[in-house]
């Protein structure tokens, strides 16, 4: 059997959830705004989008749904190795791009930073670990992030772990066991939130295992939604769902964060994904949703190099509220444009080249063989 032809046929007959693509983009823009505001207001109570970091949990839940949807009926045919190749080709080019941009920002930040405090060997080691997604929280100037040259990579580390567990355990597990694992992971989320007072952890050495709890529940929940066909038919449309999603990030911070944040992650985000999968997209919004979905990952993985420079600028200059507003608006536009450029010039061509090489090797064809899905 021609596995490439079978895979292509399967994908052509499957529905594409453009609204979920659009919501992924909304979440990515929310993360960028949150990171700007996080530098400006260290007190979460003053940050109007103080819960923007929960967008990562939305990503995790959406990832579980999409992985189940895309691979449940074909990973058995394609095999674990080919699954891993597919995921690496999809995810890792931007891991590399984000690491390179982060290194350049560290070395040539015009507004501050102290690269001279770190010897060449330490910088090279940190960079290599960033390229290979090996956590190494040793750079003080980068807040001891797990990945000093590209902070958001912490979530990609856990995404890879989730993909590995999916391939070896979850893809053929009984639904009853999947439900049990999801309930246990929900208990872990509640424990983490109660202990820490929030769900902000996962990005640093001391909060490393918080990230494990966050990916475990949300990925399992997304997979469970798909396996259970918990898709809610509705007429809300993209605009209404985008507003509902953004409201979660605007939720005021309070002493009850340890309770409100798990509620959002455990119930609200899975509900939005079930609604998003069952909603009807207005034809006029299709192009925006498709663009939003495509730009979300490049934006998420490349924006933080600029955020380090913004943070050094903000802490060394007096910036008024109006100036801050214009900086964030301009930054959001420019970062989106840069992410699009990186996607078109680098990410898509690299993925196409790697996919073509993979297809050619598998079929024994010349390297110019068509792109495999």
């Amino acid at each position: 059997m021609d596995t490439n032809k079978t895979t292509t046929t399967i994908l052509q007959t499957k529905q594409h959830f453009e609204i979920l693509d659009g919501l992924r983009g909304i979440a990515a823009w929310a993360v960028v705004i949150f990171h700007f505001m996080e530098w400006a207001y260290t007190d979460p109570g003053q940050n109007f989008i103080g819960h923007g970091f929960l967008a990562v949990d939305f990503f995790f839940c959406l990832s579980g749904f999409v992985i189940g949807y895309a691979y449940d009926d074909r990973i058995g045919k394609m095999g674990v190795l080919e699954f891993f190749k597919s995921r690496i080709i999809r995810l890792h080019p931007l891991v590399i791009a984000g690491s390179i941009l982060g290194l350049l920002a560290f070395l040539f930040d015009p507004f501050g930073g102290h690269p001279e405090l770190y010897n060449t060997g330490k910088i090279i080691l940190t960079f290599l670990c960033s390229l290979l997604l090996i956590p190494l929280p040793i750079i003080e100037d980068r807040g001891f992030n797990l990945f000093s040259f590209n902070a958001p990579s912490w979530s990609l580390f856990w995404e890879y772990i989730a993909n590995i567990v999916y391939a070896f355990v979850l893809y053929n597990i009984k639904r009853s066991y999947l439900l049990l694992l999801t309930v246990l992971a929900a208990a872990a989320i509640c424990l983490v939130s109660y202990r820490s007072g929030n769900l902000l952890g996962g990005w640093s050495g001391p909060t490393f295992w918080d990230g494990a709890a966050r990916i475990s529940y949300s990925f399992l929940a997304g997979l469970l939604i798909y396996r259970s066909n918990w898709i809610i038919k509705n007429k809300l449309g993209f605009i209404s769902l985008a507003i509902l999603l953004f409201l979660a990030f605007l939720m005021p911070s309070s002493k009850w964060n340890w309770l409100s944040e798990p509620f959002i992650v455990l119930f609200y985000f899975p509900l939005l994904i079930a609604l998003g999968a069952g909603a009807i997209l207005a034809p006029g919004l299709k192009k925006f949703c498709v663009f939003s979905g495509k730009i979300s990952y490049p934006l998420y993985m490349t924006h933080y190099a600029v955020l380090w420079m913004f943070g050094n600028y903000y802490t060394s200059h007096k910036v008024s509220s109006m100036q801050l507003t214009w900086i964030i608006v301009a930054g959001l536009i420019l970062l989106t444009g840069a992410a699009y450029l990186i996607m078109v010039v680098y990410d898509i061509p690299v993925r196409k080249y790697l996919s073509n090489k993979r297809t050619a090797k598998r079929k024994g064809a010349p390297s110019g063989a068509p792109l495999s899905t």
Side-chain angles (χ1 to χ4, degrees):
M1 179 183 292
D2 186 340
T3 57
N4 290 320
K5 185 176 180 181
T6 302
T7 295
T8 302
T9 303
I10 289 171
L11 291 177
Q12 285 175 343
T13 59
K14 280 193 170 187
Q15 174 190 359
H16 193 76
F17 298 105
E18 285 94 354
I19 286 181
L20 293 181
D21 286 340
L23 295 180
R24 184 190 291 113
I26 296 298
W29 280 309
V31 167
V32 176
I33 298 170
F34 167 76
H35 283 150
F36 272 113
M37 293 296 293
E38 188 181 32
W39 277 104
Y41 298 101
T42 53
D43 179 1
Q46 296 179 314
N47 186 346
F48 81 94
I49 193 169
H51 283 95
F53 64 88
L54 291 176
V56 175
D57 299 271
F58 182 79
F59 291 146
F60 287 155
C61 193
L62 187 56
S63 177
F65 180 88
V66 170
I67 290 293
Y69 177 72
Y71 290 103
D72 266 8
D73 57 1
R74 61 190 181 104
I75 189 173
K77 298 185 183 82
M78 70 191 301
V80 170
L81 182 59
E82 289 302 318
F83 170 74
F84 288 149
K85 288 180 182 178
S86 295
R87 300 310 294 154
I88 290 171
I89 290 172
R90 176 66 187 94
L91 298 174
H92 217 78
L94 285 170
V95 171
I96 293 171
S99 299
I100 292 171
L101 292 172
L103 174 64
L104 293 175
F106 179 75
L107 296 176
F108 305 110
D109 186 345
F111 304 113
H114 303 283
E116 71 279 357
L117 297 180
Y118 305 92
N119 62 54
T120 303
K122 192 171 188 178
I123 293 174
I124 291 174
L125 177 62
T126 303
F127 178 62
L128 289 175
C129 286
S130 184
L131 292 176
L132 299 173
L133 276 186
I134 300 172
L136 188 69
I138 61 172
I139 303 294
E140 184 176 0
D141 278 73
R142 290 297 185 251
F144 294 109
N145 276 269
L146 292 180
F147 299 92
S148 298
F149 294 146
N150 197 28
S153 287
W154 75 267
S155 62
L156 264 295
F157 169 81
W158 288 114
E159 179 73 22
Y160 271 42
I161 297 297
N163 279 235
I164 292 169
V165 174
Y166 170 80
F168 287 114
V169 179
L170 298 177
Y171 92 90
N172 64 352
I173 197 173
K174 290 183 178 179
R175 182 180 169 277
S176 57
Y177 291 136
L178 180 62
L179 178 60
L180 176 61
L181 289 175
T182 307
V183 170
L184 293 174
I189 281 281
C190 294
L191 179 63
V192 166
S193 186
Y194 179 76
R195 184 197 65 198
S196 304
N198 56 55
L199 289 177
L200 185 56
W203 55 271
S204 65
T207 65
F208 177 81
W209 291 109
D210 292 9
R214 292 174 70 181
I215 184 69
S216 295
Y217 172 77
S218 291
F219 188 90
L220 289 168
L223 188 59
L224 186 62
I225 291 169
Y226 169 71
R227 296 261 177 92
S228 305
N229 197 29
W230 289 340
I231 295 175
I232 304 172
K233 299 294 183 182
N234 64 90
K235 298 181 180 180
L236 285 174
F238 171 69
I239 299 296
S240 297
L241 287 168
I243 292 171
L244 289 173
L245 175 60
F246 211 78
L247 285 175
F249 309 138
L250 301 178
M251 178 177 63
S253 292
S254 71
K255 64 180 181 179
W256 298 103
N257 283 348
W258 66 273
L259 195 59
S260 59
E261 290 174 10
F263 176 82
I264 293 292
V265 171
L266 296 182
F267 303 109
Y268 191 65
F269 286 161
L271 174 62
L272 288 182
I273 287 173
L275 289 169
I280 299 173
L281 178 63
L285 292 172
K286 182 175 180 178
K287 286 185 177 180
F288 175 80
C289 285
V290 170
F291 170 80
S292 180
K294 286 182 177 179
I295 203 68
S296 59
Y297 183 50
L299 177 63
Y300 179 73
M301 286 303 291
T302 61
H303 77 279
Y304 214 86
V306 172
L307 264 295
W308 284 118
M309 291 188 283
F310 165 75
N312 286 329
Y313 171 80
Y314 186 85
T315 54
S316 60
H317 293 71
K318 291 184 179 180
V319 179
S320 67
S321 296
M322 183 58 67
Q323 287 175 318
L324 177 64
T325 301
W326 282 111
I327 289 172
I328 293 176
V329 171
L332 199 61
I333 294 171
L334 292 173
L335 285 169
T336 300
Y340 178 78
L341 187 64
I342 291 169
M343 178 181 73
V344 171
V345 174
Y346 164 75
D347 184 42
I348 292 176
V350 168
R351 287 193 286 119
K352 184 176 181 179
Y353 171 78
L354 293 174
S355 295
N356 283 344
K357 294 286 285 186
R358 174 187 170 202
T359 303
K361 184 177 180 180
R362 200 161 54 207
K363 298 174 72 173
S367 59
L371 171 63
S372 173
T373 305

